[in-house]
């Protein structure tokens, strides 16, 4: 049975309260503002697509789907070379909004510190030497023992775009739990992923991205692409990420399936928006 491309668990009122015309105008400004920082094309080492266009698209998703507010304190896991950060400079309030980006690849952090922070001092970037067999094989911090250098309940909003798609399953829960620790009650996590449900796995529509011919690894929950290193693209059994978020202390408020699987959707990867549950006492 075909699943709907978009599944709402609640009405996401914070995002819907934003003025649509104002958001569109801001996104167009992000696309056309020649004064915004932008790395040399040869230095964009993370992700596909146009640097500015992809960033603007995700800014729209953070606001509309995630309910991001201008005064939010944002943590960007895997900030890379600022693809998400640069558009956010045009949305987060310069006096009250804050952004922290972390990445295991020092080159991207260095560029962001030199190109973004001097103009937008409420945007900071930190190199965290997390080991990853593809992106940082000599890293000192084992992802299974991740402990980020930020206090409890510091952030309102956390971003993991194209991060879960490169993580083994035992590290996914560690990341989710650590982010939950750092989010304020009611804070939100925005995650993109590849959910390998029957539609995606069997290519029922015949229009799945041909680069993502996932094959299940043993008993799961991982799906890998034959011919690529395992962590180059990771899909997960449908339900795995839902349960991992629940175990980490989140309630999923939105699960929206992307068009990589051949279904009509307003975004490529699958999107989860999860809210940190309040802790009594």
């Amino acid at each position: 049975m075909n699943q709907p491309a978009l599944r709402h668990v609640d009405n996401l009122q914070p995002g819907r309260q934003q003025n649509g015309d104002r958001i569109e105008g801001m996104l167009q400004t992000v696309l056309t503002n020649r004064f915004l920082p932008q790395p040399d094309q040869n230095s964009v080492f993370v992700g596909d697509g146009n640097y500015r266009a992809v960033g603007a698209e995700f800014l729209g998703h953070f606001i509309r789907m995630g309910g991001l507010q201008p005064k939010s304190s944002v943590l960007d896991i895997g900030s890379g070379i600022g693809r998400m950060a640069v558009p956010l400079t045009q949305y987060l309030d310069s006096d009250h909004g804050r952004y922290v980006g972390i990445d295991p690849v020092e080159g991207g952090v260095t560029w962001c510190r030199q190109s973004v922070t001097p103009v937008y001092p409420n945007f900071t970037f930190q190199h965290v030497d997390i080991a990853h067999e593809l992106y940082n094989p000599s890293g000192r911090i084992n992802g299974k023992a991740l402990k980020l250098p930020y206090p409890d309940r510091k952030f309102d909003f956390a971003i993991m775009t194209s991060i879960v798609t490169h993580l083994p399953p035992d590290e996914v829960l560690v990341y989710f739990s650590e982010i939950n620790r750092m989010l304020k009650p009611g804070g939100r996590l925005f995650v993109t992923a590849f959910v390998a449900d029957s539609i995606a796995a069997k290519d029922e529509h015949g229009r799945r991205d041909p680069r993502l011919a996932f094959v299940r690894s043993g008993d799961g929950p991982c799906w890998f692409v034959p011919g690529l290193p395992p962590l180059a693209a990771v899909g997960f059994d449908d339900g795995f990420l839902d349960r991992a978020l629940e175990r980490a202390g989140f309630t999923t408020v939105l699960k929206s399936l992307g068009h990589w699987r051949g279904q009509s959707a307003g975004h490529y990867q699958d999107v989860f928006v999860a809210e940190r549950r309040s802790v009594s006492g």
Side-chain angles (χ1 to χ4, degrees):
M1 182 175 67
N2 290 356
Q3 299 182 44
L6 182 65
R7 286 182 271 175
H8 287 284
V9 182
D10 73 358
N11 59 12
L12 292 177
Q13 283 298 324
R16 290 187 176 184
Q17 290 173 356
Q18 301 292 336
N19 181 280
D21 291 340
R22 185 176 65 84
I23 294 172
E24 282 302 320
M26 179 187 58
L27 298 182
Q28 286 302 312
T29 297
V30 169
L31 288 171
T32 59
N33 186 346
R34 62 188 178 89
F35 297 106
L36 288 179
Q38 182 159 331
D40 181 84
Q41 185 174 356
N42 295 324
S43 297
V44 182
F45 54 83
V46 178
D48 297 329
N50 180 280
Y51 178 89
R52 189 72 63 82
V54 171
E57 175 190 344
F58 270 96
L59 176 56
H61 296 332
F62 298 152
I63 299 168
R64 296 187 180 108
M65 301 172 72
L68 178 65
Q69 299 294 299
K71 294 183 179 180
S72 294
S73 177
V74 176
L75 175 66
D76 186 2
I77 306 288
S79 53
I81 202 162
R83 191 187 295 266
M84 303 296 132
V86 170
L88 281 165
T89 63
Q90 305 304 291
Y91 180 70
L92 291 183
D93 184 277
S94 59
D95 294 323
H96 302 285
R98 292 184 298 117
Y99 169 99
V100 174
I102 68 166
D103 202 90
V105 182
E106 197 160 11
V109 173
T110 299
W111 182 87
C112 290
R113 285 175 171 173
Q114 294 174 346
S115 304
V116 179
T117 302
V119 185
Y120 304 97
N122 57 327
F123 279 66
T124 59
F125 301 85
Q126 184 164 353
H127 175 240
V128 181
D129 197 20
I130 307 168
H132 190 282
E133 66 181 53
L134 288 183
Y135 299 114
N136 193 32
S138 60
R140 296 180 297 104
I141 302 172
N142 189 318
K144 297 178 185 178
L146 181 66
K147 182 74 172 178
L148 292 174
Y150 306 107
D152 296 357
R153 304 188 182 189
K154 178 179 177 65
F155 299 100
D156 302 298
F157 196 88
I159 297 167
M160 293 183 75
T161 55
S162 296
I163 303 301
V164 167
T165 55
H166 303 292
L167 290 180
D170 50 358
E171 292 186 20
V172 169
L173 182 60
V174 175
Y175 272 81
F176 286 174
S177 298
E178 183 66 355
I179 291 169
N180 184 273
R181 174 186 68 79
M182 295 181 292
L183 282 177
K184 300 171 186 176
R188 286 187 168 182
L189 169 61
F190 185 104
V191 180
T192 68
F194 295 122
V195 176
D197 62 358
S198 60
I199 292 174
K202 298 177 183 178
D203 193 14
E204 291 185 1
H205 299 301
R207 299 191 301 271
R208 183 187 59 201
D209 187 331
R211 300 172 299 175
L212 297 173
F214 284 117
V215 173
R216 197 168 192 243
S217 177
D219 295 329
C222 287
W223 294 66
F224 300 131
V225 178
L228 294 179
L231 297 187
V234 183
F236 289 104
D237 287 341
D238 191 13
F240 170 79
L241 293 172
D242 313 64
R243 292 188 294 272
L245 288 165
E246 175 71 20
R247 285 180 58 192
F250 287 99
T251 297
T252 298
V253 296
L254 181 143
K255 180 178 181 179
S256 179
L257 302 180
H259 65 72
W260 72 274
R261 68 189 55 244
Q263 294 181 204
S264 177
H267 47 87
Y268 177 71
Q269 293 184 9
D270 306 317
V271 171
F272 290 77
V273 177
E275 190 169 285
R276 184 190 192 275
R277 294 195 294 270
S278 297
V279 178
S280 59

